[in-house]
Amino acid sequence: MTDNTLRPVLLAGLQGQQDQDIDYELAELANLAEANNLQPVETFLQKLDRPNPATYFGKGKVEELGQAVQSYQVDLIVVNDELSPSQIRNLEKLTDATVVDRTGLILDIFAQRAQTKVAKLQVQLARLQYQLPRLRTSMSVSLDQQTGAGGAGFTSRGSGETKLEQSRRRITSEMVHIRQELAELIKDEDTRTAQRQASQLPTVALVGYTNAGKSTVMNRLLERFGVGAVNDTTKQVFEKNMLFATLSTTVRKLTLADKRQLLLSDTVGFVSKLPHNLVAAFQSTLEVAGQADLLLQVVDVSDPNYQQMMKTTEETLQSIGVTDRPMITVFNKADQTDLPYPTVDGENAITISALDLKSQDELIQLIEQNIFADSQPVTLKIPFSENKLVATLSSEHVFLQEDYTEEGTVIELVLSPQELTKYQAYQI
């Protein structure tokens, strides 16, 4: 029975000869629709070597969709691919329903999820880029405010077509303004990034399919190793069981049990066929993954489609130029499945439940093995006149041994290559 609070919708897709994952894509499309307060009532699939340039679907399938619109009394069709403006226009005329493609649907979800100023501007820019060639279609994207819930971003054809050139100028002008504002905000973020890099702390970035549990992993580690994160929720990231809960990059410092520190970042989740304009708009946000010393790919192992989700993550990382970063595959939500634990050939991998303390310890241990692999035990002799340096080292490291001689304090500890260079003058 359909929930009356949700807007009923038809889903439709094409399967070409090379489309092996169409069932997964359509299931994903249904999840995206539900994330936008839409209720799929029927899914239509047509096997076709190539899309019809005029209507995307073949004549028979278009007629079937039109009949379904009347039969189910719906006024919205969501299509699994990005359509051209003319395809949307022709489909709407033949089916007597509003047609939204996958790109438009994802953009609308992002518009509702964006919280920070940078994220809102990035989404708005992507939506305007998508809207510009579609001003003659019925897919209306608000130019002034975020779309409301309940699918309110999808409206019927209005009087805007009579002011086409004025609308184009308005959109172009707004895009220029947004790019300028983003450039200033990103410049500030670049400064903060440079400061983090200057700290020489190793960086770890969480990546993966949307709703795989990245934010949960981050918050559980912050509760244990992040300063003040237990009692100060502002130090944690937003965590909810929904698609694209997190659109902004959050960077936090962790201090581990042995006093060694690292920077942990959360990133926007991925999904199949992530719109190109959206990837481009979020390029600066996603760059944290390319700058990280280690990636943690979080995978929802309880989802039967987790392998396709891993493929989606790999393809998205490649699209933003992240191809050479060391990676640990974190199979999360093991407590929610009875399936055999997977393995990943040639990679570090671990199967965990993010809420389990033992899992957290094992994950931290694996992270340390990777990012501190080049660290080594050394012995330093610090003159008594520089006791402040001993105090500094003690706050950052666990001393393996500490002795006193006539010349000063002799300490044995583990240092990274960068630290070893910094304190080389004291090494004995």
Side-chain angles (χ1 to χ4, degrees):
M1 183 176 180
T2 301
D3 187 341
N4 292 328
T5 64
L6 303 180
R7 184 178 179 182
V9 59
L10 300 178
L11 306 183
L14 277 187
Q15 182 179 18
Q17 292 182 348
Q18 306 302 319
D19 295 330
Q20 303 299 320
D21 298 330
I22 189 64
D23 291 338
Y24 162 65
E25 288 184 10
L26 290 176
E28 185 180 66
L29 186 67
N31 290 333
L32 290 169
E34 290 169 358
N36 202 30
N37 298 297
L38 303 174
Q39 178 63 57
V41 295
E42 185 66 82
T43 299
F44 296 85
L45 177 63
Q46 181 177 29
K47 293 184 178 181
L48 201 63
D49 289 343
R50 60 181 61 87
N52 186 308
T55 58
Y56 189 71
F57 298 102
K59 180 180 178 181
K61 186 60 66 174
V62 174
E63 292 176 353
E64 186 180 354
L65 285 169
Q67 294 170 0
V69 166
Q70 300 301 320
S71 176
Y72 287 103
Q73 295 185 329
V74 301
D75 60 359
L76 181 61
I77 300 172
V78 178
V79 181
N80 189 42
D81 286 296
E82 183 169 326
L83 306 185
S84 69
S86 62
Q87 286 173 332
I88 292 178
R89 185 165 59 249
N90 292 334
L91 276 175
E92 290 182 330
K93 181 178 180 181
L94 293 170
T95 62
D96 196 27
T98 299
V99 174
V100 177
D101 62 15
R102 185 186 185 96
T103 297
L105 182 66
I106 293 176
L107 288 173
D108 201 64
I109 296 171
F110 267 63
Q112 296 177 49
R113 298 286 193 267
Q115 297 294 324
T116 67
K117 186 173 183 179
V118 170
K120 289 178 180 179
L121 288 174
Q122 289 170 323
V123 174
Q124 190 176 4
L125 178 60
R127 297 182 85 196
L128 291 174
Q129 290 172 325
Y130 172 84
Q131 172 72 1
L132 190 58
R134 291 170 171 81
L135 290 177
R136 290 186 181 275
T137 75
S138 64
M139 173 57 194
S140 176
V141 179
S142 169
L143 305 181
D144 302 311
Q145 59 186 5
Q146 298 295 332
T147 301
F154 308 131
T155 62
S156 301
R157 180 176 284 107
S159 61
E161 288 185 348
T162 61
K163 300 180 180 179
L164 181 60
E165 292 304 321
Q166 180 181 353
S167 296
R168 283 178 174 167
R169 286 194 298 270
R170 182 184 179 188
I171 289 178
T172 302
S173 175
E174 188 165 355
M175 288 168 59
V176 170
H177 175 73
I178 290 173
R179 286 194 177 100
Q180 291 173 342
E181 192 170 359
L182 272 174
E184 290 300 317
L185 292 172
I186 291 172
K187 184 187 301 182
D188 293 338
E189 178 57 33
D190 288 343
T191 300
R192 288 191 290 271
T193 299
Q195 291 172 344
R196 289 195 294 265
Q197 292 173 339
S199 72
Q200 296 185 337
L201 292 179
T203 56
V204 179
L206 293 156
V207 298
Y209 191 88
T210 181
N211 209 27
K214 298 184 299 300
S215 297
T216 301
V217 171
M218 184 164 190
N219 282 337
R220 298 298 81 75
L221 295 182
L222 281 174
E223 286 178 356
R224 297 185 61 191
F225 305 107
V227 177
V230 176
N231 300 316
D232 185 357
T233 56
T234 63
K235 295 181 180 296
Q236 300 185 6
V237 296
F238 181 66
E239 180 183 332
K240 190 173 181 179
N241 183 24
M242 67 181 187
L243 300 183
F244 303 117
T246 302
L247 295 186
S248 305
T249 297
T250 302
V251 181
R252 296 287 185 266
K253 182 189 292 184
L254 301 187
T255 300
L256 307 182
D258 59 6
K259 298 184 182 180
R260 289 192 287 192
Q261 296 182 326
L262 61 92
L263 298 176
L264 180 66
S265 62
D266 190 19
T267 59
V268 61
F270 303 146
V271 71
S272 298
K273 300 181 180 179
L274 199 61
H276 173 75
N277 286 342
L278 202 54
V279 173
F282 276 77
Q283 185 72 36
S284 61
T285 302
L286 295 170
E287 281 178 355
V288 66
Q291 298 165 349
D293 297 300
L294 178 67
L295 300 181
L296 300 184
Q297 180 186 179
V298 182
V299 180
D300 179 0
V301 74
S302 70
D303 193 303
N305 297 308
Y306 76 85
Q307 291 179 321
Q308 289 95 326
M309 294 174 177
M310 292 175 64
K311 181 180 177 183
T312 293
T313 298
E314 179 182 353
E315 291 173 348
T316 305
L317 289 173
Q318 289 178 348
S319 73
I320 61 175
V322 181
T323 58
D324 60 348
R325 298 289 86 188
M327 179 185 291
I328 296 174
T329 304
V330 182
F331 293 108
N332 188 32
K333 305 185 184 181
D335 57 315
Q336 299 179 24
T337 179
D338 295 326
L339 297 174
Y341 289 169
T343 58
V344 180
D345 294 335
E347 294 185 18
N348 286 329
I350 185 172
T351 303
I352 70 167
S353 168
L355 303 179
D356 176 61
L357 290 177
K358 182 180 179 182
S359 290
Q360 297 166 17
D361 289 337
E362 292 174 348
L363 177 58
I364 283 293
Q365 183 179 6
L366 188 54
I367 291 173
E368 287 190 285
Q369 290 173 2
N370 279 265
I371 62 175
F372 298 120
D374 294 334
S375 297
Q376 56 181 306
V378 297
T379 302
L380 305 179
K381 180 187 288 186
I382 312 296
F384 291 126
S385 59
E386 299 184 47
N387 271 344
K388 287 185 178 180
L389 178 56
V390 176
T392 298
L393 289 169
S394 177
S395 68
E396 299 174 349
H397 300 272
V398 172
F399 292 169
L400 304 178
Q401 189 171 339
E402 182 176 6
D403 293 311
Y404 301 94
T405 67
E406 293 181 358
E407 292 82 15
T409 305
V410 177
I411 55 176
E412 184 181 356
L413 70 170
V414 177
L415 296 180
S416 68
Q418 294 84 359
E419 291 173 317
L420 185 57
T421 299
K422 182 177 179 180
Y423 300 117
Q424 191 170 16
Y426 303 99
Q427 185 176 3
I428 60 174

